[in-house]
Amino acid sequence: MVPGRCQTRVGDADVELLPERALHWPDAGVLAVADLHWGKTESFQQHGIPLPLGVLDDDLARLSSALTTTRARRLLLVGDLVHSRQGLTEDVIRRVTAWREAHPHLHVVLIRGNHDRHVRTLPPTWHMEDREDALDEGPFRFAHHPEPADGRFVWAGHLHPMVRLGGGGDRLRLPCFHLRPGVGVLPAFSAFTGGLNVRRGRNDRVFAVAGTAVVEV
């Protein structure tokens, strides 16, 4: 196993939780991420709020790194790929198109989330399969909203889970993978997002993204 990743078994399948805030399912050649919110910075800028433009480029570079190191053949975008219709500027479309051209053989599937429903069609130069409903494969269901499904373990997003850690009088708040019985919630892939503190149940597992490592806490 590559250092920094956390391997665990879920739904009779081995998966890896990556510090890039991604899920890797090696046997299926799948990388899954949630809540990228492309164009969010641009949406705020159009409302007169000055924000740096490097967020999208940093996220695309991190996504490329995860694809390269895992050699995944398919990328599942588990909802909220785009932030708003206004954020899909010509520049955003161009930069994502250039990223897509760098991965010509990658099969990309968007499972739409609530933000994606504001965009009727994706730019054709992104070459993405566009699904309104969940995707069932093997022991898993991939869906945006973390709702249980009979007979399958659900991987979802939407909540942007965060975990609070404390020690020596200091407190730290980190993005995390939150695995409940039957449902696993992925951290928001974009670094430019807020998040909700997880409320841990008795049988829950929480894996914090701590820099270049994922650690169960």
Side-chain angles (χ1 to χ4, degrees):
M1 186 176 66
V2 177
R5 300 180 187 176
C6 188
Q7 188 176 67
T8 187
R9 191 161 181 83
V10 178
D12 296 326
D14 292 321
V15 298
E16 293 181 322
L17 310 179
L18 275 57
E20 291 89 347
R21 307 187 190 188
L23 168 75
H24 181 216
W25 180 13
D27 288 346
V30 165
L31 189 77
V33 296
D35 300 292
L36 296 93
H37 289 274
W38 287 347
K40 184 174 181 179
T41 298
E42 289 74 11
S43 297
F44 277 80
Q45 287 179 332
Q46 290 185 27
H47 289 89
I49 302 173
L51 292 171
L53 284 173
V55 174
L56 176 60
D57 292 332
D58 289 347
D59 286 351
L60 291 174
R62 185 157 38 92
L63 187 55
S64 290
S65 175
L67 289 167
T68 299
T69 58
T70 60
R71 299 182 180 179
R73 303 181 301 276
R74 289 184 293 158
L75 174 63
L76 305 184
L77 306 168
V78 191
D80 286 359
L81 171 67
V82 297
H83 185 71
S84 70
R85 184 173 58 252
Q86 293 77 15
L88 279 184
T89 63
E90 290 184 6
D91 185 58
V92 168
I93 294 172
R94 177 187 59 79
R95 284 186 285 162
V96 175
T97 297
W99 171 85
R100 190 67 182 91
E101 290 172 348
H103 302 276
H105 303 298
L106 181 68
H107 181 202
V108 183
V109 181
L110 169 64
I111 300 146
R112 284 184 173 252
N114 49 294
H115 278 266
D116 301 309
R117 303 194 190 285
H118 300 301
V119 178
R120 183 171 298 177
T121 57
L122 295 174
T125 54
W126 291 4
H127 300 293
M128 296 179 181
E129 180 184 338
D130 193 354
R131 296 180 60 99
E132 292 284 350
D133 53 345
L135 174 65
D136 290 343
E137 186 165 336
F140 299 137
R141 168 170 290 182
F142 296 91
H144 183 60
H145 293 277
E147 299 170 350
D150 290 340
R152 294 185 187 273
F153 186 91
V154 177
W155 290 107
H158 187 58
L159 298 180
H160 306 185
M162 307 284 288
V163 61
R164 293 176 67 96
L165 303 174
D170 297 323
R171 299 191 70 84
L172 191 61
R173 192 167 178 262
L174 297 172
C176 67
F177 298 83
H178 183 196
L179 275 60
R180 313 192 312 252
V183 178
V185 184
L186 304 178
F189 185 81
S190 175
F192 185 43
T193 57
L196 294 176
N197 293 337
V198 299
R199 302 182 67 176
R200 191 194 301 256
R202 178 177 300 177
N203 297 313
D204 292 5
R205 300 178 71 190
V206 176
F207 300 82
V209 179
T212 59
V214 175
V215 181
E216 186 166 11
V217 295

